[in-house]
Amino acid sequence: MEALRENEAEEKEEEKKAFKIIVLGNNLRDCPIEFDWSSIDTSQLPASYKINSAKEKMMLHIAANFCRQYTHLCPDRKELFLHPLNECGVEKFVSTTVRPTLLPYPELYNWDGCARFVSDYLTMEPLPNPIEPPSCLFSPTTILKYQRGNCFDFSMLLCSLLIGVGYDAYCVYGYATREMCMMDETREVCPLLKKSKEAQKETVKEKTEKYAVKPPRDLRSKFELQQAAKKEAEIQVAKQKKQEEEEERIMEAEKPKPDSLYGLRVHAWVLILSGKREVPESFFIDPFTAKSYSTTDGHFLGIEALWNHVNYWVNMQSCLNGCKDLIFDLGNPLRWEFMLLGADKPLLLLPNEEEEEELADEDLDNLDKEEEEKGSDMPPSWVEPIQISLKEFETRCPQGKKVIHYKKAKLEKWAPYLNSNGLVERLTVFEDQDCTKVLEVRQWFKNREDLLEMRQVNKITEVTTEYFSPGHVLGLKAHVYKSTNPETERTMEFYNETRVDGLQKRVENACEMTEYFVGRSDFLYYRHTNFGKRTKRVDLFLWSNPRLAQIKECFHRNLEKPANEDVVERIFMISEERILLTYHLQENYITASKREFIKRADVDNKGNKIIMTPDMCLSYQVGSSQEDKKLIHLYKMMLKLMEEEKHLKHQVWESGTEVLEILKIREEEEGASKLTVSIYDTERNEKGKKQREAMERQMQEERQRQDEQDLDYLAPFIIQMGNIEKMTKWQALRLKEDCLTDFKYRLIDKANIIQVRFEKETQELQKKQQWYQQNQLSMTVEDEEAYITYCSDAMFRIRILEMRLNRHKETAPQKYIALEEKLCKDPRLSEYLKLYA
Amino acid sequence: MSRIYDTIEPNVIDQEMLQKAVEEQGPQEEAGQLAKREGIDFKDVTELQLDFRNILKIDNLWQFANLTKLQLDNNIIEKIEALGSLVHLVWLDLSFNNIETIEGLHALVKLQDLSLYNNRISKIENMDTLQELQIFSIGNNNLTSLENVAYLRKFSKLRTLNLAGNPLCDNEQYSMFIAAHLPDLVYLDFRLVDENTRELAEIKYQYAIDELKQGEAQALAKLEEEQAKQKELDYHKAAYVEYLNGPFLFESMYAEDAEANKLAYLPGIPDLLETYRNKFESVCEKLFAYGLEQYEKRQAEVSTFYKCLQEALAANQEQGTKIILEFENQNVGLLEVVQDTSSFDIAETKLAKYNDDIIQLSDTLMTLEMQTVDQLEEIIKDFERNIADLVSTFIENVQGMMAQCRDLENHHHEKLLEISINTLEKIVKSEFEEEIPDDVRMLFVDKDTIVNAVNASHDIHLLKIDNREDDIITKANSWQAAVIEEVHKNEMARNRSRVKEINQYKDHLQKELDNLESLEPVE
């Protein structure tokens, strides 16, 4: 308590100072309030927004009592933020303004998703008075509707969502730094620019094995080495010092101006306590930036109170050290003064894990139920359930656009499909603090038909890098270039898994092309083509390219061949008509076999055709004493190589055309910049929509047709009558009678037909039986069998007819009554008949 | 074609025929001229065609060691022979001959395609080793038994089979039987075996096939078991303690010992023998466990050594390659430059410098090699010492345990002697009441006989133990010698080949240089 008082004394002092500044401070908030909250339409809001229920009134009464006691006990402290006015001008207790809601979007199931959504969805408004909490607090639904709010509105919304998905979340009312309160991120490094720390784990185990060879003795002077090392170290130290100084200077320059209201600025944020949803440690979320901070972060300077949907706690701990010393055991009444006794408070110091887990599970299931159960203490929230439509959720930012300024960087965000080229995010990196000189621009795209994912333009080197998702034509993965003209410097990377030739990367400039391969069956991994001196611009990649000077290929070891026959590198010197082969190193050898073929003119000085002479092939064979292979083998090898050379030339030409093709495709795609729509996207998928509409229409038609097909009993009689508009009661009655008689006759006819058939069948059977009895003695076995089958068939038919007749007799009266009723209800007759009845 | 079959003169494969065939079938055109000028080695030939030559007897083909395809169709060959050296053969065509039995193919393990079409074969046999067989044509022969075809189940890779034209094809069950017994077959008699037939056949022959399968599985299991046993035994043998994990040694001691068997009839002896046996076996078990442990230890030692050696050599190789690469990069294009230079003096100095560089390179490499040799020598010495230590400890401990065995034997011997003498006394005093066989009673005529008998038994036992001990010790010692010798030999070979390589490389470079110099005056 002592410390608290000290703190308060200090605060008071500062407050005095601050009042002087407030006059000046007004021009600090130079952003004009573009939106007039007083003009919002509250007439459509439900009754719970406008009046207080008995429970709520009771609650307000308790709150007022609590407040009175509190001001009595702690007269030095600021007034509590307990029951601000809502948008309808009604006092509402803050806990009832929290409306835990679970939304149907998987992105909103985790705290970071929720926080990002809230920070994107709402536009930030500064508090009207930076050192006082706002006088009114609107419902989260209203805030969502107008997409703007101050830190309290942000926190309430975020808290509602987080409790909805099961976090142990609280709204915190306290003090923070200017940067935090004003959502000023210009001193923060953009999170997209932070380099992910590469876990450099060098697992070099220098195991000194038992039989390790000793290094040869070092014959250099030890003293000289020492001196050299010393010198080196000195230089290093000097360098480091200089660097440190430099860094310090920069830090100094970047330091923010001192804040005159430091420690007084009111802010609201969200606290998530550990325990539920497997949160290992309590932390803060700043609702403006969606960033999480540890509870000891220096940006947060103090806490007055915190609340969730069931209770309200006032901080009784000293905030001299900001929030560093605060302990969040809300069950301890010495540290946290609670308002409602009955509400179950989280006992953090004695966590009964099982119970808590159960609680967490239950929480998700029956949040609403729980709310009602606890209704005895805290009235249910007066706020309507939070609803966000899919479209609103996708659009996210107000008008689908949002700009954030970071340190030396600007980040712009757009909703997908807002920009016709699919742009969703753009990060501009500047060289200086004032953001004048652009260093680099990064753009992220979504849903593009050409699968472009990100484009990075370095404004200094003018190099553009484009990254593609898998699936682009020819497996393009990344494209680095200065200009899209052919024959300039560029690097293309490919998804080698999807390519037949296993090409991974192709680097080219005007006179060179290097290709890297992965996973080829011929073990090729590198091909370098040299185009020699450029002579003409035209016929660049012509088939028999005269400029083609040299092709070099490198291979991995093919373990199926002996090392001495496995080529590691072959160079086709096309302009010099030579082919150089180098083979893999054999085990324990330090020189590799080599072979050089020299293509000579085909005719010697006598005019004979030279096929092959020993000096056409210079070879160095490692480790084999026996003489070279026979000329015939060399000749075959050379023929094969020449064939390969031809093939290679073609390959190079193909590579060239492929580059041109890709460039052309890219140009077309860039020009068209179409966006794709997922077939699951019911909003945007035009085709699907049309199809669905067509289907619905068809169904509609079908239904109509069916309706029409329902027989109109009256139609034939109406035709007989002629004019039906002017029908008299008598006429209507006659119409009905006619119809009924007709139906009766039909029923009788039907019964008669069945009866006749029945009789006929019976007669025939009798006749047959007679005939059988007469001829019984002179009959063959087959005839007898035929007779028996006939009899059983006939009996079956008779039985069926009998059944049919009976059923008809039963149902006929019912049918008659049904028709009568129907006729009575018929719109054409009903009014007359009703009158008559 | 006016020749009549009877008048055909049978031929043999001779040098002339082969030479001609090779030339005809060898490379053509330019390559052919080249080949003609140089001559063709038979061992370079991979394919040979000897058809329609009236060959009666296969012969003289051993020179074609690398042959992969051989066609001997349309001859009058009667016996498959002299093909044993053509182990690389993949394709063998012996169709349209007069062969009566399948034989002489066991060495052709790589064979994939075998054609014996139109011969006089009546049984499929002697082909167990041809596990690679994929296509087998044995149509137009005298095969009569369908059951014989089941022999082909062995060939898991067989996909195509031709049996058409054999008497067995007349059997109406023919195609069903084949489809059921050769489930992996794809083509039979040039036709696809359709699924329908196969299913029907499977149902029809289900029991027979199941039985066959069971038999095969049992045979396989037995084979595997035997292999596992053999492997374990080999492992024990490598540790020099084979059969020591059981009563084998003890039993072998008594196997040739007739006296001991007789003495076993004496009262008290069986009990004594039993305890002796148990003790002896426990010592053997101990020895066995120790032997295996030591074996693992030795193997670990050797593998560590080789691992380190490999590492050292790899490092050395890397270093050497680096030096050479540096040299080559330094001098790349030098010769061309020299050739193009007009000034003779400059060229001369450059060449001289190059020459010096070559010598220097060779010196550097040699120094590196000397250094490596020193380093390796050191670790080899260490290794040698460690191995010697290991082996000597092993031998000592084995000797110790064997001494225990001997003590047990001595102890047993004393007891046995005592009992024997007691018995003798009893017999002499006619106090001995138990019935014993006559030949045993024969031993108890006087003291000398019985003592001699017991001693003889004892000697045999001791001899067995000694032999076993000697066996282990010699083996261990010879292993040590072999390991050390191998290491030395390898190192020597490595050193030689490296020195040779350096010299060769140096010569190669200098030759290049010389070529250039000799060219220059001409220009």
Side-chain angles (χ1 to χ4, degrees), chain A residues 211 214 588 591 594 609, chain B residues 301 328 375 378 498 501:
Chain A
Y211 295 109
K214 285 177 193 116
N588 279 339
T591 54
K594 277 180 189 169
K609 213 173 162 196
Chain B
E301 190 74 19
E328 279 179 355
Q375 287 171 338
E378 208 165 306
R498 174 59 57 84
E501 187 192 358

Side-chain angles (χ1 to χ4, degrees), chain A residues 342-354:
Chain A
D344 58 328
K345 50 220 159 187
L347 292 164
L348 275 185
L349 288 183
L350 296 164
N352 191 343
E353 274 178 33
E354 272 176 46

Side-chain angles (χ1 to χ4, degrees), chain A residues 209-211 213-214 216 578 586 588-591 594 609 611 620-621 623 630-633 635, chain B residues 30-31 33 38-39 301 304-305 307-308 317 324 328 371 375 378-379 386 498 501 504-505 508:
Chain A
E209 288 272 2
K210 205 170 172 184
Y211 295 109
V213 289
K214 285 177 193 116
R578 284 200 303 165
Q586 265 174 298
N588 279 339
Y589 279 89
I590 51 170
T591 54
K594 277 180 189 169
K609 213 173 162 196
I611 302 155
Y620 164 65
Q621 197 77 16
K630 284 202 169 186
L631 272 182
I632 175 100
H633 294 294
Y635 180 69
Chain B
E30 283 118 12
Q33 288 177 31
E38 286 186 306
E301 190 74 19
T304 344
F305 170 73
K307 209 173 126 206
C308 291
Q317 188 187 19
I324 289 176
E328 279 179 355
Q371 187 190 316
Q375 287 171 338
E378 208 165 306
I379 67 167
N386 287 337
R498 174 59 57 84
E501 187 192 358
Q504 207 185 355
Y505 189 60
H508 168 71

